[in-house]
Amino acid sequence: MKYFYKKIVNTPLRLILLPCILMLAGSCEEQPTDYRSFLEEKEIVYPAAVVRVEPGPGRYRVLLKWKRSPDPSVTEYGIYWNNSRDSSVVESISENASDTVEAYIGNLDEGVYSFTIYSFDKEGNRSIPLITENVKIYGDKYQGGLLNRQVSSIDYADGKTFLFWNRPDTINIHTEVSYTNQAGETQTFLVSPDSSSLLIPDWKPATKIFYRSTYKPERDAIDTFRVSYYDSLDVTGVPVDKSIWKQALLPGDAVVNAFNTSLEKIWDGSPGDYPNVYHSDGAAMPHTFTIDLGTTYRELSSFKEWGRTNNPGHNPVEFEVWGIADTTGATTLLPSADPGWKDESVSKGWTLLTDIERNDNGVAGIEYNLIENPPPVRFIRIRV
C-alpha cells in the first residue's frame, strides 16, 4: 500500500502539470488580437463630449444651453429624454468655438425630467453622454398655486392713497396695480419686488383697486407666470365725494324749502348758519328726505352730522338713516308717520343703516357707525 501511494502522487502529477503550463502560455500569446472580430477591424472614435449644460425651465418647455465643442469633428448634438423615447438634434456649425449652443424643447408635460446629450461627428460616432437630471418643467399646476403679493395696510389722507406691501415670498417680477382715477379713467402701475409702498395720487373713492403679481419659478427660468386672478382692495375710512350728491325727491318726502333754504346746503361745505341750512318748516313729523349719492357704494361705514349753530332748537336729535341701491319699485305708499312705514320700507328693499338719538342740542359734529356688512347703497333716506 505504501508503494502504491507514492506512484499515484509523483508520476501522474508531472504528466498533468505540463499541459496546463502550455495552455496558459498559448492563451497569453493570442490576447492582443482576439477583440478584432468584435470591432470589425475598425478603430473606436469618441467626439468631444458636452461638458456642462445650463437648463432654463419654462412653461411646458425648456432651454438647454452649453458651450459649442472645440472639436472640429463635431457636426451635431443629440438630446434624449423620456428614456430615449423622445429626441431632438441640434446642428453644430460655427467658426467660433466659444459660441453657445441653445436648444429649445417644447411640448413637455409638467414635471421633472432628465436629458442626455451626445456629440456626433459626420461618421455617426458619438461621444460619451452628459446627463442633466432634475430639470423641472412648469405649467398650470404651478400657476394655480401662485398667490398675489400681500398688501399689509392702506392709508388715505388728503386725497392720496398709500398701499404698503409685504415682502414677496418667492421670485416676484412685479405686481400690476389697476385703479380708476378722478377722471374715471383706468390707470396702471407696476410695483417692483424691491418697493414696499405705492402712492396713488388720484384714486377715485368708492372704486376698487385691483392687483395681480407675476413670478418666475426659478432664477434661470425662461418664462414668467402671472397669478390667474386679480385681488381687489376696498379703501375704508374715505369720505365720499359730496360734489356729485343731489336731492332725490321720492313720494312722501318733505318738499318745503322754507325761508329760501335748500336741501343741498346740508352737504355743500358752507357754514352751518342760516341761510346755509335746510328748513322743512311746515312738514309733518316725522318726515323724510332723500339724497342721491351719485354712485353706488359697497360698504358705507359711518355717518357724521353737524347741526346749525345760530338756532340749535331747530336741529334734529332723533332720526333714522335708510339706504338702497336702486329706487325702482321702492316707492313707499304709507305716510312716514304711519306705524307700518318701517315694515313697508323693508319690503320695498330699503335697509335701516342706523337709528340715532342725540342727548344734546345737535350742534356738535358726531360720527355714527352704520350696520356691519351693509348692502350696496346709492340713495340715502333720512326719516326725522
Side-chain angles (χ1 to χ4, degrees), residues 247 256-268 275-279:
Q247 183 176 10
V256 177
N257 290 324
F259 306 106
N260 296 317
T261 65
S262 64
L263 183 64
E264 286 79 3
K265 289 296 183 181
I266 72 171
W267 66 73
D268 68 354
N276 299 313
V277 296
Y278 170 58
H279 203 303

Side-chain angles (χ1 to χ4, degrees), residues 1-17:
M1 293 292 294
K2 191 173 183 180
Y3 172 79
F4 180 71
Y5 173 76
K6 289 182 178 179
K7 184 176 181 180
I8 291 177
V9 172
N10 294 331
T11 303
L13 184 60
R14 295 189 188 99
L15 295 174
I16 295 172
L17 182 59

Side-chain angles (χ1 to χ4, degrees), residues 155-201:
D155 286 346
Y156 179 87
D158 300 326
K160 297 179 180 180
T161 307
F162 292 88
L163 305 184
F164 296 93
W165 304 86
N166 289 340
R167 291 181 60 86
D169 56 2
T170 185
I171 307 174
N172 177 242
I173 303 303
H174 59 251
T175 298
E176 174 190 333
V177 179
S178 177
Y179 71 97
T180 303
N181 66 12
Q182 297 284 356
E185 302 166 336
T186 300
Q187 300 293 317
T188 300
F189 285 119
L190 293 181
V191 181
S192 72
D194 299 328
S195 298
S196 59
S197 64
L198 172 66
L199 166 62
I200 301 178

Side-chain angles (χ1 to χ4, degrees), residues 20-329:
C20 289
I21 294 174
L22 292 174
M23 289 175 61
L24 181 60
S27 175
C28 294
E29 194 172 309
E30 295 175 0
Q31 187 176 3
T33 60
D34 64 355
Y35 64 85
R36 293 178 183 175
S37 61
F38 298 100
L39 300 180
E40 299 178 354
E41 303 297 330
K42 294 181 180 179
E43 181 183 3
I44 297 178
V45 177
Y46 291 101
V50 174
V51 176
R52 185 171 66 91
V53 172
E54 299 177 2
R59 184 180 183 87
Y60 299 117
R61 64 175 186 160
V62 67
L63 169 62
L64 302 176
K65 296 192 300 183
W66 63 89
K67 291 296 183 182
R68 199 179 305 274
S69 174
D71 183 353
S73 71
V74 174
T75 58
E76 63 184 22
Y77 303 92
I79 307 169
Y80 301 85
W81 65 96
N82 285 338
N83 293 321
S84 296
R85 291 191 299 269
D86 296 305
S87 62
S88 179
V89 175
V90 180
E91 293 184 356
S92 177
I93 302 175
S94 175
E95 296 179 358
N96 187 350
S98 65
D99 284 350
T100 299
V101 179
E102 294 187 350
Y104 286 92
I105 299 174
N107 299 318
L108 300 175
D109 294 328
E110 191 167 4
V112 180
Y113 284 76
S114 293
F115 296 93
T116 301
I117 302 177
Y118 294 93
S119 301
F120 288 88
D121 62 18
K122 64 180 180 179
E123 303 298 332
N125 298 308
R126 71 180 187 182
S127 68
I128 60 174
L130 175 69
I131 301 176
T132 301
E133 298 180 314
N134 299 321
V135 179
K136 293 189 69 175
I137 306 302
Y138 299 88
D140 290 342
K141 290 181 180 178
Y142 168 76
Q143 185 176 16
L146 293 176
L147 301 175
N148 287 311
R149 185 181 178 184
Q150 290 185 335
V151 176
S152 59
S153 62
I154 309 172
D155 286 346
Y156 179 87
D158 300 326
K160 297 179 180 180
T161 307
F162 292 88
L163 305 184
F164 296 93
W165 304 86
N166 289 340
R167 291 181 60 86
D169 56 2
T170 185
I171 307 174
N172 177 242
I173 303 303
H174 59 251
T175 298
E176 174 190 333
V177 179
S178 177
Y179 71 97
T180 303
N181 66 12
Q182 297 284 356
E185 302 166 336
T186 300
Q187 300 293 317
T188 300
F189 285 119
L190 293 181
V191 181
S192 72
D194 299 328
S195 298
S196 59
S197 64
L198 172 66
L199 166 62
I200 301 178
D202 56 350
W203 169 72
K204 182 178 181 179
T207 61
K208 283 184 176 291
I209 298 174
F210 299 92
Y211 62 100
R212 181 162 66 168
S213 298
T214 299
Y215 299 92
K216 267 190 174 184
E218 300 178 22
R219 292 291 178 189
D220 295 328
I222 58 174
D223 294 319
T224 58
F225 292 77
R226 289 197 304 178
V227 177
S228 55
Y229 57 89
Y230 283 93
D231 274 323
S232 63
L233 300 170
D234 286 308
V235 183
T236 59
V238 179
V240 299
D241 181 9
K242 293 187 293 183
S243 68
I244 58 176
W245 291 13
K246 61 183 179 180
Q247 183 176 10
L249 188 60
L250 299 182
D253 283 353
V255 296
V256 177
N257 290 324
F259 306 106
N260 296 317
T261 65
S262 64
L263 183 64
E264 286 79 3
K265 289 296 183 181
I266 72 171
W267 66 73
D268 68 354
S270 57
D273 291 335
Y274 179 84
N276 299 313
V277 296
Y278 170 58
H279 203 303
S280 58
D281 185 51
M285 299 290 273
H287 61 256
T288 60
F289 57 87
T290 307
I291 304 171
D292 179 359
L293 303 182
T295 189
T296 301
Y297 295 90
R298 287 176 294 274
E299 294 188 14
L300 289 177
S301 59
S302 63
F303 175 92
K304 192 168 186 178
E305 180 227 1
W306 294 262
R308 59 185 293 184
T309 58
N310 59 348
N311 197 341
H314 286 226
N315 290 329
V317 291
E318 295 181 23
F319 56 94
E320 300 164 350
V321 180
W322 294 76
I324 198 170
D326 187 355
T327 57
T328 304

